[in-house]
Coordinates of all heavy atoms in Angstrom, one line a residue:
G1 N 0.8 -1.2 0.0 CA 0.0 0.0 0.0 C 0.8 1.3 0.0 O 0.6 2.2 -0.8
Y2 N 1.9 1.3 0.8 CA 2.8 2.4 0.9 C 3.5 2.6 -0.4 O 3.5 3.7 -1.0 CB 3.8 2.3 2.0 CG 4.8 3.4 2.1 CD1 4.5 4.6 2.7 CD2 6.0 3.2 1.5 CE1 5.4 5.6 2.7 CE2 7.0 4.2 1.5 CZ 6.7 5.4 2.1 OH 7.6 6.5 2.1
E3 N 4.0 1.5 -1.0 CA 4.8 1.6 -2.2 C 3.9 2.2 -3.4 O 4.3 3.1 -4.1 CB 5.3 0.2 -2.6 CG 6.2 0.2 -3.8 CD 7.4 1.1 -3.7 OE1 8.0 1.2 -2.6 OE2 7.8 1.7 -4.7
L4 N 2.7 1.6 -3.5 CA 1.8 2.0 -4.7 C 1.3 3.4 -4.4 O 1.2 4.2 -5.4 CB 0.7 1.0 -4.9 CG 1.2 -0.3 -5.6 CD1 0.0 -1.2 -5.8 CD2 2.0 0.0 -6.9
T5 N 0.9 3.8 -3.2 CA 0.4 5.1 -2.9 C 1.5 6.1 -3.2 O 1.2 7.2 -3.8 CB -0.1 5.2 -1.4 OG1 -1.1 4.3 -1.2 CG2 -0.6 6.6 -1.1
T6 N 2.7 5.8 -2.8 CA 3.8 6.8 -3.1 C 4.0 6.9 -4.6 O 4.2 8.0 -5.1 CB 5.1 6.2 -2.5 OG1 5.0 6.1 -1.1 CG2 6.3 7.1 -2.8
R7 N 3.8 5.9 -5.4 CA 4.0 5.9 -6.8 C 2.8 6.8 -7.4 O 3.0 7.6 -8.4 CB 4.0 4.5 -7.5 CG 5.3 3.8 -7.1 CD 5.2 2.3 -7.6 NE 6.3 1.6 -7.1 CZ 7.0 0.7 -7.7 NH1 6.7 0.4 -9.0 NH2 8.0 0.1 -7.2
F8 N 1.6 6.6 -6.9 CA 0.5 7.4 -7.4 C 0.7 8.9 -7.1 O 0.3 9.7 -7.9 CB -0.9 6.9 -6.8 CG -1.5 5.8 -7.7 CD1 -1.4 4.5 -7.3 CD2 -2.2 6.1 -8.8 CE1 -1.9 3.5 -8.0 CE2 -2.7 5.1 -9.6 CZ -2.6 3.8 -9.2
L9 N 1.2 9.2 -5.9 CA 1.4 10.6 -5.5 C 2.5 11.2 -6.4 O 2.4 12.3 -6.8 CB 1.8 10.7 -4.1 CG 0.7 10.4 -3.1 CD1 1.3 10.3 -1.7 CD2 -0.4 11.4 -3.2
H10 N 3.5 10.4 -6.9 CA 4.5 10.9 -7.8 C 3.8 11.2 -9.2 O 4.1 12.2 -9.7 CB 5.6 9.8 -8.0 CG 6.7 10.2 -8.8 ND1 7.6 11.2 -8.5 CD2 7.0 9.9 -10.1 CE1 8.5 11.3 -9.5 NE2 8.1 10.6 -10.5
V11 N 2.9 10.3 -9.6 CA 2.2 10.6 -10.9 C 1.4 11.9 -10.8 O 1.4 12.7 -11.6 CB 1.3 9.4 -11.2 CG1 0.3 9.7 -12.4 CG2 2.1 8.2 -11.6
M12 N 0.7 12.0 -9.6 CA -0.1 13.2 -9.5 C 0.7 14.5 -9.4 O 0.3 15.5 -10.0 CB -1.0 13.0 -8.2 CG -2.0 11.9 -8.3 SD -2.8 11.5 -6.7 CE -3.6 12.9 -6.3
S13 N 1.8 14.4 -8.7 CA 2.7 15.6 -8.6 C 3.3 15.9 -10.0 O 3.3 17.1 -10.4 CB 3.9 15.2 -7.7 OG 4.8 16.3 -7.7
N14 N 3.7 15.0 -10.8 CA 4.1 15.2 -12.2 C 3.1 15.9 -13.0 O 3.3 16.8 -13.8 CB 4.6 14.0 -12.8 CG 6.0 13.5 -12.3 OD1 6.7 14.2 -11.6 ND2 6.3 12.2 -12.5
R15 N 1.8 15.4 -12.9 CA 0.7 16.0 -13.7 C 0.4 17.4 -13.2 O 0.1 18.2 -14.1 CB -0.5 15.1 -13.6 CG -0.2 13.8 -14.4 CD -1.4 13.0 -14.8 NE -1.0 11.8 -15.5 CZ -1.5 10.7 -15.3 NH1 -2.6 10.5 -14.6 NH2 -1.0 9.6 -16.0
L16 N 0.5 17.6 -11.9 CA 0.2 19.0 -11.4 C 1.3 19.9 -12.0 O 1.0 21.1 -12.4 CB 0.2 19.0 -9.9 CG 0.0 20.3 -9.2 CD1 -1.4 20.9 -9.7 CD2 0.0 20.2 -7.7
Q17 N 2.6 19.5 -11.9 CA 3.6 20.4 -12.5 C 3.5 20.6 -14.0 O 3.7 21.7 -14.4 CB 5.0 19.7 -12.2 CG 5.4 19.7 -10.7 CD 5.5 21.2 -10.2 OE1 5.9 22.1 -10.9 NE2 5.2 21.3 -8.9
A18 N 3.1 19.6 -14.7 CA 2.9 19.8 -16.1 C 1.7 20.8 -16.4 O 1.8 21.6 -17.3 CB 2.6 18.4 -16.8
A19 N 0.6 20.7 -15.6 CA -0.5 21.6 -15.7 C 0.0 23.0 -15.4 O -0.4 24.0 -16.1 CB -1.6 21.2 -14.8
R20 N 0.8 23.2 -14.4 CA 1.3 24.5 -14.0 C 2.1 25.1 -15.1 O 2.0 26.3 -15.5 CB 2.1 24.4 -12.7 CG 2.5 25.7 -12.1 CD 3.2 25.5 -10.8 NE 4.5 24.8 -11.0 CZ 5.6 25.5 -11.1 NH1 5.7 26.8 -11.0 NH2 6.7 24.8 -11.2
H21 N 2.9 24.3 -15.8 CA 3.7 24.8 -16.9 C 2.9 25.2 -18.1 O 3.1 26.2 -18.8 CB 4.8 23.8 -17.3 CG 5.9 23.6 -16.3 ND1 6.8 24.6 -16.1 CD2 6.2 22.6 -15.4 CE1 7.7 24.2 -15.1 NE2 7.3 23.0 -14.7
R22 N 1.8 24.3 -18.4 CA 0.9 24.7 -19.5 C 0.2 26.0 -19.2 O 0.0 26.8 -20.1 CB -0.1 23.5 -19.7 CG 0.6 22.4 -20.5 CD -0.5 21.4 -21.0 NE -1.3 20.9 -19.9 CZ -1.0 19.9 -19.1 NH1 0.1 19.3 -19.2 NH2 -1.9 19.5 -18.2
L23 N -0.2 26.2 -18.0 CA -0.9 27.4 -17.6 C 0.0 28.6 -17.7 O -0.4 29.7 -18.3 CB -1.4 27.3 -16.1 CG -2.2 28.5 -15.6 CD1 -3.4 28.9 -16.5 CD2 -2.6 28.3 -14.2
A24 N 1.3 28.5 -17.3 CA 2.2 29.6 -17.4 C 2.5 29.9 -18.9 O 2.5 31.1 -19.3 CB 3.5 29.2 -16.7
D25 N 2.6 28.9 -19.8 CA 2.8 29.1 -21.2 C 1.5 29.8 -21.8 O 1.7 30.7 -22.6 CB 3.0 27.7 -21.9 CG 4.3 27.1 -21.6 OD1 5.2 27.8 -21.1 OD2 4.4 25.9 -21.9
F26 N 0.3 29.4 -21.4 CA -0.9 30.0 -21.9 C -0.9 31.5 -21.5 O -1.2 32.4 -22.3 CB -2.1 29.3 -21.3 CG -3.4 30.0 -21.6 CD1 -3.9 29.9 -22.9 CD2 -4.0 30.7 -20.6 CE1 -5.1 30.6 -23.2 CE2 -5.2 31.4 -20.9 CZ -5.8 31.3 -22.2
Q27 N -0.6 31.8 -20.2 CA -0.6 33.2 -19.7 C 0.4 34.0 -20.5 O 0.1 35.1 -20.9 CB -0.3 33.2 -18.3 CG -1.5 32.8 -17.4 CD -1.2 32.9 -15.9 OE1 -0.1 32.7 -15.5 NE2 -2.2 33.2 -15.2
R28 N 1.6 33.5 -20.8 CA 2.6 34.2 -21.5 C 2.1 34.5 -23.0 O 2.3 35.6 -23.5 CB 4.0 33.4 -21.6 CG 4.8 33.7 -20.4 CD 6.2 33.1 -20.6 NE 6.3 31.7 -20.7 CZ 6.2 30.8 -19.7 NH1 6.2 31.3 -18.5 NH2 6.3 29.5 -19.9
A29 N 1.5 33.4 -23.6 CA 1.1 33.6 -25.0 C -0.1 34.6 -25.1 O -0.2 35.2 -26.1 CB 0.7 32.2 -25.5
S30 N -0.9 34.6 -24.1 CA -2.1 35.5 -24.1 C -1.8 36.9 -23.6 O -2.7 37.8 -23.6 CB -3.3 34.9 -23.4 OG -3.0 34.8 -22.0
G31 N -0.6 37.1 -23.0 CA -0.3 38.4 -22.5 C -0.9 38.7 -21.1 O -0.7 39.8 -20.6

């Protein structure tokens, strides 16, 4: 349980970071 939960949290963290980068790119592109 600990091992898989840690892996899922890693996936979620990576997706959150990717979304944050896409949002920053969108904001830069839209001014």
Side-chain angles (χ1 to χ4, degrees):
Y2 175 81
E3 183 61 37
L4 287 181
T5 300
T6 300
R7 292 173 188 220
F8 273 100
L9 289 172
H10 183 73
V11 167
M12 294 166 63
S13 175
N14 287 343
R15 292 203 180 137
L16 181 59
Q17 289 299 329
R20 188 174 67 94
H21 290 290
R22 283 192 305 277
L23 180 58
D25 290 345
F26 172 77
Q27 287 182 323
R28 275 192 294 279
S30 65

